[in-house]
Amino acid sequence: MAKANENNQNTRMIFVERETYEKDGKTYFSYFIKGMVRGKEVKAQVAPHDVGGYAVLDIVFDGADKAELFTTPYEIRDEKTKRTVKGVTYGVRSYDADGQVYECPVKPMRNSDKSFLQMLLR
């Protein structure tokens, strides 16, 4: 299978999916990653970093039900304490017919979603 991206050591493609839900008579999308952890199906919800990000996600998904998840590792060193903090950021990516890339950063909705994502990406 294809790599999720150059920065991700995961060897399988992982997708962010979306589905509609109704609230107060309006239709919205929820975004999530599904997978299996220790034989149990888990669903980690993700969201853009701000409300305007939902419009960006609409462009990235372009009517599709799923788009590629990518991760970008980071490392920040505190010069005073000499401690290094490491982690990853998440994003959703798609391509048009001409190869143009469309991306939107996303984050786990809750701490439990962050835990599920870490388990799914191992």
Side-chain angles (χ1 to χ4, degrees), residues 3 14 23 26 28 33 42 44-45 56 62 71 79 81 86-87 91 94 102 104 106 108:
K3 276 189 138 186
I14 296 184
K23 182 177 177 182
K26 293 185 179 181
Y28 300 94
I33 295 111
V42 298
Q45 285 194 288
V56 178
D62 192 32
T71 61
E79 292 303 320
T81 64
K86 296 180 183 182
S94 68
Y102 297 88
C104 181
V106 295

Side-chain angles (χ1 to χ4, degrees), residues 1-2 11 17 19 40 42 46 48-49 63 70 76 93-94 97 100 104:
M1 295 188 117
T11 57
E17 299 179 50
E19 63 187 4
K40 295 182 182 191
V42 298
V46 295
H49 289 260
F70 70 93
I76 300 172
R93 173 187 298 150
S94 68
Q100 177 70 36
C104 181

Side-chain angles (χ1 to χ4, degrees), residues 31-33 43-49 54 69 88-91 105-118 121:
Y31 299 87
F32 56 91
I33 295 111
K43 187 174 179 179
Q45 285 194 288
V46 295
H49 289 260
Y54 286 100
L69 174 73
V88 296
T89 60
Y90 303 98
V106 295
K107 62 182 178 180
M109 293 269 297
R110 298 172 292 272
N111 284 336
S112 58
D113 294 317
K114 182 177 179 179
S115 295
F116 284 147
L117 276 173
Q118 290 171 344
L121 293 174

Side-chain angles (χ1 to χ4, degrees), residues 18-81:
R18 72 179 185 170
E19 63 187 4
T20 59
Y21 68 94
E22 298 277 332
K23 182 177 177 182
D24 299 327
K26 293 185 179 181
T27 302
Y28 300 94
F29 284 106
S30 66
Y31 299 87
F32 56 91
I33 295 111
K34 290 191 307 189
M36 297 292 285
V37 176
R38 291 189 162 179
K40 295 182 182 191
E41 188 171 311
V42 298
K43 187 174 179 179
Q45 285 194 288
V46 295
H49 289 260
D50 59 44
V51 174
Y54 286 100
V56 178
L57 282 173
D58 281 342
I59 291 169
V60 172
F61 275 80
D62 192 32
D65 290 333
K66 64 182 181 177
E68 174 187 346
L69 174 73
F70 70 93
T71 61
T72 305
Y74 68 85
E75 195 171 298
I76 300 172
R77 182 169 172 85
D78 183 334
E79 292 303 320
K80 285 185 179 180
T81 64

